[in-house]
């Protein structure tokens, strides 16, 4: 049988093609020996991702089967290594009660208020309570010396606390007059003179958002409920019930501070709180730290007392028409320029003498928060804490 040249040529091409394909298949099989296995297993039913337990230990992890993933793993191995957090179990949490919805509402004029604005966000998200030992000390000292008043700690950023609680929160829960509550800024400010301004969003352009939210909230709280507002960087040394219904404290002879303020739920106190909210709206400045806090109360009391002279307000309380401005020794006996005196052992005795008659001691957290204080250190702050917030101090561990 004769074979044409065309048939010979086609046959030769087919032979060459089969040889090439066979060679490529052998090379592929050597490079990716698991490919055929994957192909066979591809018909099996997929297991939903959420039903697969995640193993945190490397020894329990299976080898990567995907060839592309293998190459990526090789590439990653050659990159610089960084520390990563290990996979942790979910933390069981309890939601904080909303201060506006909780059964036990603030009793107008019969409360002490603290505000915590760390982690505050314009769009509310879930976040755990974060309290420092020093903040817990402030709260405990207020509750310890004022058992007849309810101490509300209002969290603008946190929404939940750990189910088991951390040592500091456990220490605070031993006091029956302490309430930890969440607040939603917009609902909380609704119906107050500042509500409309808040909706403009100017507050959120601040360079100091957390402090300025705190500034706003203290005046909103005093407007809504009256009572006593305290900063979270204080130590209360005395019962505060018998103090006047309306007061603040001077930081110096030229400036009035807002870290310790009391205003009645009605009358003069409510009038002052209203003036403060109006002033904050009119003079708000997101670029300056103090304009919206101490600046507000300073401007308002100057109007109320009809004088620019802070010393005149202090020396002649009657001119302030029902509102009192205390001398710096009452709450700010140690000026901010001398904040280190609270932490230095060689200043222990002189500092304790200077604050001995102060109902409340302010320790200037804005400046002192970076000072790592050993609980065994012998200084004014540790001495004050052992006396006025013993449970928080004990729960602090090695550092306070």
């Amino acid at each position: 049988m004769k074979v044409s040249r065309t048939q010979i040529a086609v046959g030769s091409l087919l032979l060459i093609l089969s040889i090439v394909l066979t060679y490529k298949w052998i090379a592929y099989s050597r490079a990716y020996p698991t490919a055929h296995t994957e192909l066979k297993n591809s018909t099996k039913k997929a297991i939903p991702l959420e039903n697969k337990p995640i193993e945190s230990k490397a020894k329990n992890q299976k080898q990567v089967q995907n060839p592309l993933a293998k190459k990526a793993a090789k590439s990653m191995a050659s990159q610089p290594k960084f520390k990563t957090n290990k996979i942790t179990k979910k933390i069981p949490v309890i939601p904080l009660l909303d201060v506006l919805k909780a059964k036990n509402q603030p009793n107008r004029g019969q409360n002490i208020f603290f505000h915590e604005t760390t982690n505050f966000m314009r769009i509310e998200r879930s976040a755990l309570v974060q309290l420092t030992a020093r903040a817990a000390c402030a709260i405990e000292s207020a509750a310890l010396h004022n058992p007849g008043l309810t101490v509300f700690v209002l969290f603008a950023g946190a929404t939940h606390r750990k189910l088991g609680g951390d040592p500091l929160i456990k220490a605070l829960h031993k006091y029956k007059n302490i309430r930890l509550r969440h607040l939603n800024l917009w609902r909380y400010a609704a119906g107050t003179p500042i509500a409309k301004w808040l909706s403009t969003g100017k507050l959120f352009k601040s360079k100091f958002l957390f402090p300025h939210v705190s500034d706003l909230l203290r005046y909103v709280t005093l407007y809504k409920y009256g009572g006593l507002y305290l900063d979270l960087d204080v130590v209360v040394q005395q019962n505060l019930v018998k103090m006047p219904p309306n007061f603040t404290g001077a930081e110096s002879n030229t400036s009035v501070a807002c870290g310790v303020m009391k205003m009645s739920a009605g009358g003069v106190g409510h009038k002052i709180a209203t003036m403060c909210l109006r002033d904050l709206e009119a003079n708000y400045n997101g670029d300056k730290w103090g304009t919206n806090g101490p600046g507000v109360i300073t401007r308002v009391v100057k109007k109320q007392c009809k004088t620019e002279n802070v010393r005149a307000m202090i020396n002649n309380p009657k001119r302030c028409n029902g509102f009192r401005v205390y001398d710096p020794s009452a709450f700010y006996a140690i000026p901010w320029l001398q904040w280190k005196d609270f932490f230095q052992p060689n200043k222990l005795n002189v500092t304790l003498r200077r604050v001995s008659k102060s109902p409340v001691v302010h320790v200037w957290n804005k400046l002192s928060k970076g000072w790592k204080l050993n609980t065994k250190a012998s200084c004014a702050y540790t001495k004050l804490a052992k006396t006025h917030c013993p449970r928080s101090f004990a729960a602090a561990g090695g550092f306070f």
Side-chain angles (χ1 to χ4, degrees):
M1 186 174 88
K2 292 184 179 181
V3 180
S4 68
R5 291 183 180 180
T6 302
Q7 289 176 325
I8 293 172
V10 171
S12 299
L13 287 173
L14 289 172
L15 179 63
I16 293 170
L17 183 61
S18 65
I19 291 171
V20 170
L21 290 174
T22 302
Y23 175 78
K24 286 188 176 183
W25 172 252
I26 293 171
Y28 178 82
S29 297
R30 288 179 179 176
Y32 309 114
T34 60
H36 66 284
T37 305
E38 291 177 0
L39 184 60
K40 288 179 181 178
N41 293 337
S42 64
T43 58
K44 291 183 179 180
K45 189 176 181 180
I47 300 174
L49 181 62
E50 59 270 19
N51 291 336
K52 290 185 179 180
I54 299 174
E55 299 294 336
S56 60
K57 295 183 180 179
K59 65 180 181 180
N60 292 331
Q61 293 177 347
K62 294 182 179 180
Q63 291 183 350
V64 178
Q65 299 297 319
N66 190 300
L68 293 176
K70 272 191 173 183
K71 290 183 180 180
K74 272 188 177 180
S75 175
M76 288 299 293
S78 65
Q79 300 297 320
K81 294 182 179 179
F82 298 92
K83 290 183 179 180
T84 57
N85 294 327
K86 293 181 179 179
I87 298 172
T88 56
K89 295 180 180 179
K90 288 184 178 180
I91 302 171
V93 296
I94 299 175
L96 293 175
L97 296 177
D98 190 303
V99 66
L100 298 178
K101 300 177 182 178
K103 181 179 179 181
N104 297 318
Q105 290 286 304
N107 187 5
R108 289 167 66 83
Q110 299 298 313
N111 310 284
I112 297 175
F113 292 98
F114 292 92
H115 296 133
E116 171 54 69
T117 57
T118 303
N119 295 327
F120 170 81
M121 300 186 74
R122 187 172 183 175
I123 300 175
E124 190 173 275
R125 295 181 183 178
S126 297
L128 280 177
V129 166
Q130 294 180 9
L131 273 182
T132 65
R134 297 178 191 179
C137 178
I139 298 163
E140 180 183 355
S141 66
L144 175 67
H145 290 293
N146 297 274
L149 299 178
T150 305
V151 178
F152 281 89
V153 187
L154 306 182
F155 294 87
T159 57
H160 295 73
R161 63 178 178 86
K162 293 179 183 177
L163 178 61
D166 62 37
L168 292 171
I169 293 179
K170 285 182 179 179
L172 295 180
H173 277 163
K174 292 180 180 178
Y175 292 88
K176 294 181 180 180
N177 60 330
I178 293 178
R179 307 280 186 272
L180 306 184
R181 297 286 186 264
H182 170 68
L183 67 81
N184 175 282
L185 179 60
W186 288 267
R187 290 197 299 268
Y188 192 68
T192 71
I194 204 71
K196 187 176 180 180
W197 176 85
L198 186 61
S199 66
T200 66
K202 290 181 181 179
L203 174 65
F204 306 101
K205 297 176 182 178
S206 168
K207 291 181 179 178
F208 308 95
L209 183 59
F210 295 167
H212 287 170
V213 171
S214 178
D215 291 336
L216 172 70
L217 283 175
R218 70 191 67 190
Y219 297 120
V220 170
T221 294
L222 292 174
Y223 174 89
K224 288 172 71 72
Y225 302 112
L228 180 64
Y229 166 82
L230 298 175
D231 275 351
L232 278 167
D233 57 346
V234 302
V235 179
V236 178
Q237 297 193 107
Q238 301 174 14
N239 185 287
L240 307 174
V241 173
K242 293 183 179 180
M243 296 189 76
N246 301 295
F247 68 80
T248 190
E251 181 184 321
S252 66
N253 288 330
T254 58
S255 178
V256 178
C258 62
V260 181
M261 297 187 295
K262 187 178 181 182
M263 298 178 194
S264 58
V268 173
H270 191 67
K271 172 192 169 186
I272 296 293
T274 304
M275 290 172 66
C276 287
L277 290 175
R278 298 292 189 199
D279 182 275
L280 192 152
E281 177 181 354
N283 298 291
Y284 177 77
N285 189 332
D287 296 328
K288 293 185 178 180
W289 179 82
T291 300
N292 315 305
V296 167
I297 193 64
T298 298
R299 291 186 293 269
V300 167
V301 296
K302 284 180 177 180
K303 291 179 182 178
Q304 177 70 12
C305 303
K306 296 180 174 61
T307 179
E308 294 286 317
N309 191 320
V310 174
R311 179 48 61 181
M313 302 174 194
I314 297 168
N315 294 338
N316 185 10
K318 289 183 179 180
R319 73 176 302 140
C320 294
N321 301 306
F323 194 82
R324 180 166 179 180
V325 179
Y326 276 94
D327 184 87
S329 62
F331 314 126
Y332 311 97
I334 306 300
W336 68 270
L337 286 170
Q338 298 173 11
W339 66 267
K340 289 183 181 179
D341 289 3
F342 286 112
F343 300 86
Q344 295 174 333
N346 63 330
K347 297 285 187 178
L348 169 61
N349 293 326
V350 66
T351 302
L352 290 179
R353 281 198 300 271
R354 291 177 69 181
V355 302
S356 61
K357 295 182 180 180
S358 302
V360 180
V361 180
H362 195 279
V363 296
W364 307 108
N365 180 66
K366 184 175 185 289
L367 302 167
S368 64
K369 62 184 177 182
W371 190 293
K372 198 173 183 181
L373 182 60
N374 194 302
T375 50
K376 295 180 180 179
S378 180
C379 64
Y381 203 172
T382 55
K383 294 293 184 184
L384 290 170
K386 286 177 183 178
T387 303
H388 303 292
C389 57
R391 288 173 174 167
S392 297
F393 189 76
F399 293 92
F400 178 72

